[in-house]
Amino acid sequence: MKSAVFLVSLFACSAFGAERHATNGFSRAPYVQLATHESIFVVWRTERKCEPVLRVGSSPQKLDREVRGADILTRQATTNKVKLPPGVFKLHSAPEGTYQYEAKITGLRPDTQYYYAVFDGDKRLTGRDPSFHFRTHPVPGTHRPMRFWVVGDSGTGREHQSGVHSAMTDWTKRENRPLDFYLHVGDMAYSRGRDVEFQTRFFEMYEPTLRNVVCWASMGNHEGATSKGTNGVGPYYDAYICPTRGEAGGLASGLEAFYSFDYGRAHFICLDSHDLDRRPTGMMAQWLKADLEYTQQDWIFAYFHHPPYTKGSHDSDREKQLIEMRTHIMPILESGGVDVVLTGHSHIYERSMLMDGAYATPTVAENVILDDGDGDPKGDGPYRKSAGIHPNEGAVQIVAGHGGTTVRRKGTMPVMKKIIVEHGSVLIDIDGDTLTGIMLNKYGERRDLFSIVKRGQVTPARLATPWQPPKWAPEKKPDGDDPGTEPPEDFYIVIEKHAKWHYLAGEHPGTNWMKPEYSVNNWPEGEAGFGFGDNDDRTVLSNMNSNYTTVYIRRNFEVEQADTVAEIGLIVSYDDAFIAYLNGKEVVRTGVGIGSGRNAKNIKRHNAGGRYNYFAFKDFEKHLRDGVNVIAIEGHNKDLESSDFTLDPYLILED
Amino acid sequence: MRRLLQKETNMANSRSLQICAIALFASVSVIAHDSPEHEIEALNNKIAATGATAELLARRATEWRALGKYDQASQDLQKALLIKSNSIPLILEYASVEMERGGVCAATGVIEYGLTRAQETEKAPLQMMMAEVLERTGVHDKALAECEKAMAGAEPQLEWHLTRARLMCRLGRHAQAATTLQAAYEKTPNVVLEIEWIEAMIDAGQYGKALERLVKYTERGRWRSAWLIRRARAELGLNRPAAAQAGLTAALAELEHRINPAKLDTTLLADRAMAHLLRGDRDAAAKDLDRIRGPLKAHLPGSTLARLERLFRDSL
C-alpha cells in the first residue's frame, strides 16, 4: 500500500531500536521460535537472497553446530506472477524481494543455554557479542522454576510500549532472573497487522528480547485485519512458527491459529478468539477439550485475545466475541482445570479473584467467587487449590491489554480484585507448587501481586456474597479549559514541530486568505510557535501586546493518496483561541465563539501552560485532496491586554 | 525505510512533547482500537462526511455483529452489496449474518445470488455455506453434494473435512467417512480429525483398526473417559464385554468427578450418556440425553449428538 504521506520533513532523533535492527543486511533481525527441549528455530530476514548459515554452540567461541543451505527453509516475497524456485516457499506479505530464513536446529540438550550466529556464506551477519543466545526448554514434566512475561495490545511503536518493555528488562536484570519465554495476547501490530507494522511496532521494539526467548503469540483483532486463522495466511502467520503437530507438547491442532506447548510442569494453550468458530461445536473447542484431557502437567494456562471478563475499553457483557469466549470456551477450560487465563483486547489491567463458573451475562460475582482475598501472601494470603489439576477449583483471569496503547476504563467488572488503568505488563513465576504473578507498570513499579499455591486437597466453596470492587464512574471533564481529544494510535507527522510557516501579524488579510488560491508570498516566514510573553515562542511577536489580537499563519503540505487517510489533525499549544482551515474550509474551532478574523467574538481565555492538545479535523474527507493542500490557522488573544500569546501547531495524520 | 524514519520522528516527538492535556482528557476516541460502539460512532461520522462506501458499511456491519445486532448488520451489508454487488467476501459475510440470526431462507437466497456472481475459483466457500444451510434443514444428501463440490474446487479448510464426514455418517456411509478422514489426518494431523476418524471406524465396524489407533490415548492422558468410552465401543464390537465394562466403570467414575452439576459441560454429559448406554443403563442415558436435547444441544457437536441418538434408538 502506498503511504498517504508524500512529503515528510524529518529532524534529528534517537529512535528506540532503530540502530539495532537494520544492521548487517538484516531486514528483520534474528529471533527465536518454537522451542522444545531438543530443538529451536532461528528466523531472520534479508532484503536480498543470501547463502544462509546458522551456527550454534555451547559458548560464543565454540559455535560447532551448523545448519545451512537447503536445510534452512527459505521463503521469498514475490508477486503471484513470479514462479518461485523449487524449495522456496511463499512469504505472503513482506516487501517484494524479501527473503525469510527459518533454520531449525535439532538434537540439542534440554534446558541448556546455546549461543548462535547467522552468516551469509562465510560472512558473519550477527555481531560477535554473546547476546545472541537461547535456552532450550526442559523436558516436559520436569520440575524447574520458570518465568514468563505476558503483554498485550502493545503494538503502537511508541513510548508507552518501549517503557513497558524496558520496565520488564530492568526488573529481570535487577533480579538476575531472565525470562524463559514470553506470551503475547494479541494486538501487537497496530493498526492492521501489516508487515511494516509488525516490523516497526513489534520486531524492532522487542528485538533484544526476541533474539533470546520465544514469543508465543495469539492473534488479536488488529492482526486479524490482514491475517486469517482458517488458512494461516498473512503477516502474522509469516512472522510466527507455531506448533501444529503437537511437537512442543499437547495435541496436534493442524493450524497455527490455536496450539499448545509444555514448559516444565506447565501446559500452555493458545486459542484464536478472533476469527475462528468459538462455539463448543467448532473444531477449536473440540481440540481444546481433547488437549486438556491429554495433558499431564500440574499447571494449565490459557491465553487468547478477547477477554471473557472486562470493563476496560471493552465490555464483556455486550460484545459477542467476549460473550462467546465466556459462555462457550470457559466451561471447557474450567472443567479441564485451567489455573490462569491471560487475555488482552481491553486496554486496561484487570485481575480477578479466584473464580469458577461465571458464564452468565451480565457477569455477577455472587456464587462464582471461590476466594475473594487479594491473593497476596503478605495480604489475604495466596489462593489455594489442590495439588495437580482438578476441575472447577478456580482460575484467575488476567486482562493485560495495557502493553502500549491508550488505557481506558468503562466500568467495574465485579469479579475483579485489581483494576489498574496504567500501562504495564505481567510477569509470572512458577516454582514447584507456587505461582506468583505481578503487574509491573511502565515505570518499573510493582502494582499488583498474587499467588496461587497448589498443595494437598482443597475443597472449593462458592461465596454467596463475595467482596466486590467499588463502583466507579468516569471522571468528569472539567468545564472549559482544556478541550481536544486523543491523537491516533499511529500517526505520521506531516508538518513537524517548529516548521516554518508564512504568517501575518498586526493586520488582517483579505477574507479569502485561507483559500488555496490566495497568495501569501508577501507574508514573512517564521518558525512555530508564534507569540510573546511566556518564553515559549520561536517567532516572537514583540509588538503584539496592546496592539493587536490576531495572528494568521499558513503552510502547504502534500498528501499522496487522500482517500487512505483515516484521520488528520493538529497537535497544538495555544493561548487563547484559534480557528483552523483545510483548503479554505473550517475544520477546527476552539475558544472562538462566533465570527472569524477581524469579526471573531467571544474569545475564551486559555492558558497554553506548555501543554499540547490534539484536535482532529472535522469532515476532512470532504476537503483533503491528493497533492498539495493548505492549512491555515488564525490565532486569537482574548483582548489587547492579554499578557501572552501562543500558537505552536504541528500537523499529523493517520493512514 | 521511509516508514521507519517517519516512525522515528514520531517517537522522538512523542518523547519530547508533554501532551499532558491529551492524557488527562482522553475520554473521546475518534479512531479505531476501541469498543464497537465507538467504532460505530466513528464510522457513522465518516459515512456522513464522505458518503457510504462498501468498505465502510462492511466495517460497520462487523461492529453491529460484535454487538449481536444482526438486523443492523444485515442492513449495512445489503447496502454494501448494492454498491459492490460482485464482492464474494461481502456476500459470504451477509450470508453468515443471516445464518447467525436464523434466517435460513434468506441465507440460501444470498448464497444462490453469490453463486451466480462468483468465478469458479471463488465458489467453494459459498458451496460450503450452502452445505451448512442444507444440513441445518436436514437435507443431508444435497448438503454432501455441495460439500463435495466445494472440496473439489478449492484447497479444503480443516473444518470442511469434518463437515463432509459428518454428512457421510448421517447418510450411513461410515466407512467412506473413515477413509476421507484418514486421508485428511495424514495430510494435516489434527486430533479432532483423528477422533472423528476413530469414531467413524467404530461406526463402520472396523473395531480392530480403531483400537490400534486409540490405544495411545487410553494409556496416557490425565482424563481418559472419552477415550475409554470409545475403546469400550470397539471392544463391545469385538464381543469383549468384560473389558468394555471395566473401561466404562472407570470412565463413569472420572466423569462423576469432572461434571459440575451447577455448571454443566455438555460434552461431558454426552460422554456420560454414552457410557450409560454402553453399559446397558438406558434410563440413566435417557436422563442425560433429555438434558442435552434441551438448551444444551447447541453446545454439542452435531455428529456426537447424532451418534448418541442413533445408538439410543438401536439399543431398544
Side-chain angles (χ1 to χ4, degrees):
Chain A
M1 184 180 168
K2 286 192 284 185
S3 166
V5 184
F6 182 65
L7 186 67
V8 177
S9 301
L10 302 171
F11 57 94
C13 62
S14 57
F16 175 89
E19 300 86 354
R20 276 191 295 268
H21 90 285
T23 55
N24 299 333
F26 291 119
S27 57
R28 181 168 291 175
Y31 60 104
V32 289
Q33 283 286 281
L34 214 174
T36 72
H37 63 284
E38 56 186 5
S39 65
I40 200 164
F41 281 85
V42 178
V43 184
W44 68 94
R45 283 186 182 181
T46 58
E47 286 173 348
R48 58 175 182 79
K49 191 170 173 24
C50 75
E51 190 187 328
V53 179
L54 174 71
R55 290 192 188 134
V56 174
S58 54
S59 79
Q61 293 76 36
K62 195 183 171 198
L63 303 176
D64 51 1
R65 299 275 311 276
E66 184 178 282
V67 193
R68 66 160 56 229
D71 292 333
I72 295 177
L73 191 145
T74 301
R75 296 185 193 276
Q76 184 185 346
T78 181
T79 61
N80 285 331
K81 290 173 189 164
V82 178
K83 198 175 173 200
L84 291 168
V88 176
F89 296 86
K90 188 171 172 64
L91 185 57
H92 290 277
S93 316
E96 197 175 345
T98 301
Y99 285 79
Q100 176 164 304
Y101 299 102
E102 300 172 4
K104 182 180 185 184
I105 186 142
T106 57
L108 303 174
R109 290 190 302 277
D111 202 6
T112 302
Q113 177 146 317
Y114 288 92
Y115 296 83
Y116 67 95
V118 171
F119 293 76
D120 176 2
D122 293 331
K123 184 187 169 197
R124 186 170 178 144
L125 300 181
T126 44
R128 291 191 174 274
D129 64 280
S131 68
F132 289 92
H133 59 77
F134 60 80
R135 191 170 192 91
T136 50
H137 285 199
V139 173
T142 308
H143 286 282
R144 177 195 186 282
M146 59 185 281
R147 163 172 282 186
F148 62 96
W149 186 43
V150 185
V151 65
D153 303 80
S154 63
T156 62
R158 289 162 69 176
E159 61 174 351
H160 296 314
Q161 181 184 6
S162 60
V164 168
H165 182 220
S166 300
M168 179 278 293
T169 53
D170 291 349
W171 185 274
T172 52
K173 268 183 205 154
R174 201 161 50 243
E175 291 195 329
N176 193 25
R177 175 69 184 91
L179 298 181
D180 292 309
F181 57 93
Y182 144 35
L183 304 182
H184 202 296
V185 292
D187 282 2
M188 57 201 73
Y190 289 117
S191 57
R192 292 177 56 76
R194 292 173 295 182
D195 191 79
V196 65
E197 292 166 331
F198 261 99
Q199 184 59 33
T200 54
R201 296 164 197 190
F202 180 78
F203 284 101
E204 286 164 22
M205 298 299 284
Y206 297 128
E207 196 276 326
T209 298
L210 296 171
R211 70 171 66 167
N212 301 138
V213 299
V214 174
C215 174
W216 301 87
S218 61
M219 193 175 80
N221 52 305
H222 286 270
E223 289 79 63
T226 47
S227 296
K228 297 289 162 235
T230 47
N231 59 11
V233 170
Y236 174 88
Y237 292 101
D238 281 343
Y240 292 107
I241 302 173
C242 303
T244 61
R245 294 171 170 252
E247 58 267 52
L251 294 179
S253 66
L255 292 171
E256 289 187 296
F258 57 91
Y259 59 87
S260 59
F261 69 96
D262 288 331
Y263 192 98
R265 298 288 301 163
H267 186 63
F268 293 83
I269 298 168
C270 170
L271 300 176
D272 177 346
S273 58
H274 176 64
D275 66 351
L276 295 187
D277 189 347
R278 293 171 291 273
R279 291 174 299 176
T281 52
M283 176 182 272
M284 183 169 71
Q286 291 182 66
W287 168 84
L288 172 64
K289 178 174 182 272
D291 187 73
L292 283 163
E293 289 173 343
Y294 193 65
T295 183
Q296 293 183 302
Q297 309 304 4
D298 291 336
W299 295 92
I300 296 178
F301 296 84
Y303 62 104
F304 45 87
H305 187 59
H306 295 84
Y309 310 95
T310 185
K311 295 276 183 185
S313 61
H314 287 269
D315 184 346
S316 58
D317 288 336
R318 289 177 56 79
E319 297 172 39
K320 179 181 155 70
Q321 287 152 314
L322 289 65
I323 292 169
E324 288 188 350
M325 291 309 283
R326 178 170 68 253
T327 56
H328 298 336
I329 299 297
M330 281 313 302
I332 301 171
L333 283 170
E334 291 185 333
S335 66
V338 70
D339 295 298
V340 179
V341 177
L342 300 151
T343 55
H345 193 52
S346 198
H347 303 160
I348 193 167
Y349 174 76
E350 294 170 300
R351 195 265 295 170
S352 77
M353 298 171 265
L354 190 69
M355 59 185 284
D356 176 73
Y359 312 137
T361 303
T363 298
V364 295
E366 289 80 3
N367 295 307
V368 301
I369 301 299
L370 308 181
D371 183 338
D372 63 358
D374 63 6
D376 184 342
K378 291 182 178 167
D380 299 330
Y383 300 128
R384 296 196 176 273
K385 299 180 71 174
S386 302
I389 295 292
H390 299 272
N392 302 100
E393 283 203 357
V396 170
Q397 300 277 338
I398 299 176
V399 181
H402 60 326
T405 194
T406 311
V407 286
R408 218 184 293 282
R409 180 175 180 179
K410 277 188 167 190
T412 302
M413 174 48 65
V415 297
M416 294 298 170
K417 190 70 187 183
K418 290 289 174 75
I419 302 170
I420 301 174
V421 190
E422 290 178 17
H423 289 102
S425 61
V426 175
L427 269 176
I428 293 183
D429 288 286
I430 297 179
D431 192 356
D433 63 6
T434 302
L435 174 153
T436 306
I438 62 167
M439 194 283 259
L440 270 185
N441 71 11
K442 70 171 181 172
Y443 304 110
E445 297 160 338
R446 194 179 70 195
R447 300 284 283 116
D448 183 28
L449 182 149
F450 73 97
S451 187
I452 301 174
V453 175
K454 300 178 84 171
R455 196 176 296 160
Q457 185 74 33
V458 174
T459 305
R462 293 171 190 278
L463 303 178
T465 54
W467 175 92
Q468 291 191 37
K471 294 275 179 258
W472 174 89
E475 277 178 39
K476 281 200 173 161
K477 189 171 167 176
D479 291 336
D481 195 38
D482 264 321
T485 60
E486 180 187 5
E489 298 285 346
D490 310 304
F491 60 77
Y492 298 107
I493 296 171
V494 186
I495 299 175
E496 76 271 29
K497 201 182 177 201
H498 307 317
K500 282 191 173 172
W501 297 64
H502 287 285
Y503 71 99
L504 183 66
E507 58 181 301
H508 294 291
T511 51
N512 61 342
W513 71 277
M514 72 289 281
K515 294 189 175 165
E517 60 271 21
Y518 187 89
S519 171
V520 291
N521 288 341
N522 57 341
W523 291 15
E525 278 190 299
E527 286 183 10
F530 300 87
F532 74 95
D534 44 11
N535 296 320
D536 63 356
D537 309 302
R538 292 211 171 193
T539 300
V540 178
L541 307 170
S542 52
N543 61 342
M544 186 171 183
N545 185 232
S546 305
N547 289 317
Y548 56 92
T549 59
T550 308
V551 175
Y552 302 86
I553 66 173
R554 251 181 70 138
R555 195 188 145 105
N556 292 356
F557 65 96
E558 292 188 33
V559 167
E560 188 175 352
Q561 269 188 276
D563 62 357
T564 65
V565 175
E567 183 169 328
I568 184 166
L570 282 176
I571 293 180
V572 54
S573 181
Y574 67 100
D575 176 343
D576 289 300
F578 72 90
I579 304 171
Y581 303 88
L582 176 62
N583 295 325
K585 302 293 181 189
E586 182 179 317
V587 286
V588 178
R589 172 183 289 252
T590 186
V592 182
I594 53 168
S596 61
R598 70 173 77 233
N599 299 316
K601 291 190 172 59
N602 301 341
I603 309 295
K604 282 171 77 174
R605 199 173 291 287
H606 177 264
N607 178 23
R611 294 181 307 250
Y612 286 79
N613 296 51
Y614 174 69
F615 295 88
F617 288 176
K618 66 179 180 187
D619 296 345
F620 72 88
E621 298 93 338
K622 289 179 183 168
H623 316 309
L624 192 68
R625 40 175 93 146
D626 293 349
V628 178
N629 292 265
V630 174
I631 172 84
I633 307 171
E634 55 180 75
H636 294 272
N637 239 349
K638 182 169 171 54
D639 48 47
L640 289 170
E641 284 69 47
S642 287
S643 60
D644 56 5
F645 173 81
T646 299
L647 185 59
D648 185 10
Y650 65 107
L651 185 68
I652 66 162
L653 71 73
E654 181 191 45
D655 65 355
Chain B
M1 181 54 78
R2 187 176 64 180
R3 286 274 187 183
L4 174 68
L5 291 172
Q6 287 165 349
K7 179 51 60 185
E8 290 174 17
T9 312
N10 182 351
M11 288 197 64
N13 278 297
S14 298
R15 273 195 298 274
S16 64
L17 298 174
Q18 294 180 334
I19 310 177
C20 306
I22 290 164
L24 267 175
F25 301 115
S27 58
V28 182
S29 174
V30 289
I31 49 151
H33 329 307
D34 221 324
S35 65
E37 292 93 337
H38 282 105
E39 296 282 334
I40 288 167
E41 191 186 329
L43 287 163
N44 287 344
N45 292 338
K46 192 148 189 167
I47 287 169
T50 62
T53 65
E55 196 217 340
L56 292 173
L57 288 163
R59 279 170 58 191
R60 193 168 66 180
T62 303
E63 303 303 331
W64 287 125
R65 204 174 169 184
L67 291 172
K69 297 192 172 176
Y70 298 116
D71 288 349
Q72 288 93 327
S74 176
Q75 283 166 16
D76 273 352
L77 288 165
Q78 278 182 48
K79 287 182 201 160
L81 272 170
L82 288 175
I83 299 167
K84 219 173 172 181
S85 58
N86 288 338
S87 165
I88 302 304
L90 272 181
I91 292 167
L92 283 165
E93 184 73 7
Y94 185 22
S96 65
V97 165
E98 291 301 333
M99 288 276 281
E100 221 159 334
R101 66 173 184 164
V104 172
C105 288
T108 306
V110 177
I111 297 165
E112 282 170 348
Y113 166 80
L115 286 167
T116 64
R117 299 282 172 147
Q119 307 286 322
E120 275 310 307
T121 52
E122 297 174 317
K123 284 185 175 172
L126 288 162
Q127 288 160 334
M128 279 309 296
M129 200 171 271
M130 184 64 94
E132 203 184 322
V133 171
L134 290 166
E135 185 186 13
R136 268 203 208 181
T137 51
V139 192
H140 297 128
D141 51 348
K142 285 188 179 164
L144 180 59
E146 286 297 325
C147 192
E148 297 280 21
K149 275 194 263 178
M151 294 179 76
E155 181 63 30
Q157 294 174 14
L158 278 187
E159 294 249 25
W160 296 6
H161 294 289
L162 289 175
T163 304
R164 181 173 64 176
R166 187 169 68 234
L167 290 165
M168 286 172 171
C169 288
R170 287 289 180 96
L171 295 166
R173 291 152 61 172
H174 302 293
Q176 191 185 11
T179 305
T180 57
L181 285 163
Q182 179 178 0
Y185 175 84
E186 284 171 354
K187 189 174 176 199
T188 310
N190 167 292
V191 74
V192 183
L193 291 175
E194 191 179 17
I195 289 169
E196 289 304 317
W197 170 25
I198 290 167
E199 297 277 17
M201 282 195 284
I202 297 170
D203 288 335
Q206 299 166 6
Y207 305 118
K209 279 170 74 178
L211 274 178
E212 270 174 41
R213 190 77 215 171
L214 61 77
V215 69
K216 67 176 174 182
Y217 294 107
T218 56
E219 288 175 354
R220 189 191 179 278
R222 183 161 37 101
W223 286 317
R224 289 177 269 185
S225 53
W227 292 104
L228 292 171
I229 292 164
R230 285 181 198 114
R231 190 176 73 184
R233 281 185 69 208
E235 280 169 338
L236 286 171
L238 292 168
N239 201 20
R240 297 178 194 158
Q245 288 304 324
L248 291 170
T249 303
L252 279 169
E254 183 192 297
L255 287 167
E256 291 308 326
H257 174 58
R258 290 180 65 198
I259 290 175
N260 179 356
K263 308 282 178 186
L264 286 171
D265 176 336
T266 316
T267 59
L268 297 182
L269 208 59
D271 285 345
R272 190 169 70 182
M274 181 65 85
H276 285 314
L277 201 54
L278 296 176
R279 274 166 61 100
D281 190 347
R282 206 166 179 278
D283 290 344
K287 250 191 217 171
D288 282 339
L289 250 176
D290 281 345
R291 295 167 86 176
I292 293 167
R293 287 181 188 126
L296 296 175
K297 186 177 171 181
H299 292 240
L300 197 65
S303 54
T304 307
L305 184 58
R307 187 173 293 114
L308 255 178
E309 295 280 16
R310 179 166 48 82
L311 292 179
F312 190 72
R313 281 195 306 275
D314 293 350
S315 68
L316 269 173

